[in-house]
Amino acid sequence: EVQLVESGGGLVQPGRSLRLSCAASGFTFDDYAMHWVRQAPGKGLEWISDISWNSDTVAYADSVKGRFTISRDNAKNSLYLEMNSLRAEDTALYYCAKEAVVRGCFDYWGQGTLVTVSS
Amino acid sequence: EIVMTQSPATLSVSPGERATLSCRASQSVSSNLAWYQQKPGQAPRLLIFGASTRATGIPDRFSGSGSGTEFTLTISSLQSEDFAVYYCQQYDYWPPLTFGGGTKVEIK
């Protein structure tokens, strides 16, 4: 059974940093690209970043480019999101998502970790 | 960036009736379109990819159609567990991957 478990969320002040983790199991982690998608309270879904299976290729939404860094450790079956210079508008539930066989869509999602940016 | 627009924002349907949800892309995305279902407090679930291919385990009352810029998700006979928010997402030209704003299907 595929499982994705996010952690690392919490309350953080504007301008500070936070590192999210996603522990994956139930599939061959290094066969798939992985993504982060967020959802602000009561709002829709926003893709923010992805990383290829071997970390060679990464991409970011403009809203987080230069502030967030995605990475992975295939030996640990883990995905990460380093978030710097956090803003109030980064407040959201952050999901990690496994890419499907079809590139660019997501066949499994974690339950999310909530990040709240507030003073 | 490809903008995805869903309509209506809210759809009120009685159990057993058909629901038809629309999604429009600001430019052609070919058939590179997915649909997700999200229930309150849950993560999204992949329903459809390739505009019309059901994901594993998705009941056949869910069907997708369309190509280019106009897409439809049809739920042929709504069950109680189908009341949720539905999102379309394009994966033709990215980054960024983009989602529609969602359609909430509620009980009439």
Side-chain angles (χ1 to χ4, degrees), chain A residues 21-24 29 34 71-80:
Chain A
S21 300
C22 172
F29 184 69
M34 296 292 294
S71 62
R72 64 191 294 162
D73 184 338
N74 287 344
K76 295 182 178 180
N77 288 349
S78 292
L79 175 71
Y80 305 102

Side-chain angles (χ1 to χ4, degrees), chain B residues 3-18:
Chain B
V3 177
M4 308 300 293
T5 303
Q6 292 186 241
S7 61
T10 304
L11 186 60
S12 298
V13 185
S14 299
E17 290 188 339
R18 172 187 295 255

Side-chain angles (χ1 to χ4, degrees), chain A residues 35 37 39 43-47 50 59-62 95 99-100 102-107 109-111, chain B residues 1 32 34 36 38 41-46 49-50 87 89-91 94-101:
Chain A
H35 299 250
V37 177
Q39 187 169 35
K43 302 297 185 183
L45 300 167
E46 179 189 16
W47 172 85
D50 85 299
Y60 299 95
D62 285 348
Y95 294 104
E99 189 165 271
V102 175
R103 283 273 293 138
C105 61
F106 321 109
D107 56 0
W109 301 61
Q111 285 304 301
Chain B
E1 171 177 329
N32 296 313
Y36 299 86
Q38 187 178 34
Q42 296 186 17
R45 175 174 72 146
L46 178 65
F49 63 92
Y87 295 95
Q89 178 234 330
Q90 69 81 21
Y91 53 94
W94 60 286
L97 293 163
T98 50
F99 293 88

Side-chain angles (χ1 to χ4, degrees), chain A residues 2-116:
Chain A
V2 172
Q3 285 200 322
L4 298 169
V5 180
E6 301 94 337
S7 60
L11 175 63
V12 61
Q13 293 179 327
R16 303 299 290 267
S17 299
L18 210 56
R19 189 193 198 207
L20 306 184
S21 300
C22 172
S25 61
F27 65 102
T28 305
F29 184 69
D30 56 11
D31 276 353
Y32 294 93
M34 296 292 294
H35 299 250
W36 288 98
V37 177
R38 70 184 180 184
Q39 187 169 35
K43 302 297 185 183
L45 300 167
E46 179 189 16
W47 172 85
I48 56 172
S49 184
D50 85 299
I51 185 167
S52 62
W53 67 274
N54 61 358
S55 304
D56 272 3
T57 305
V58 299
Y60 299 95
D62 285 348
S63 58
V64 306
K65 198 174 293 182
R67 299 187 300 122
F68 290 11
T69 303
I70 192 171
S71 62
R72 64 191 294 162
D73 184 338
N74 287 344
K76 295 182 178 180
N77 288 349
S78 292
L79 175 71
Y80 305 102
L81 186 69
E82 185 75 36
M83 304 186 296
N84 297 320
S85 303
L86 282 162
R87 305 167 180 168
E89 55 264 36
D90 295 319
T91 294
L93 188 62
Y94 284 73
Y95 294 104
C96 72
K98 171 185 168 292
E99 189 165 271
V101 173
V102 175
R103 283 273 293 138
C105 61
F106 321 109
D107 56 0
Y108 289 95
W109 301 61
Q111 285 304 301
T113 187
L114 181 63
V115 173
T116 303

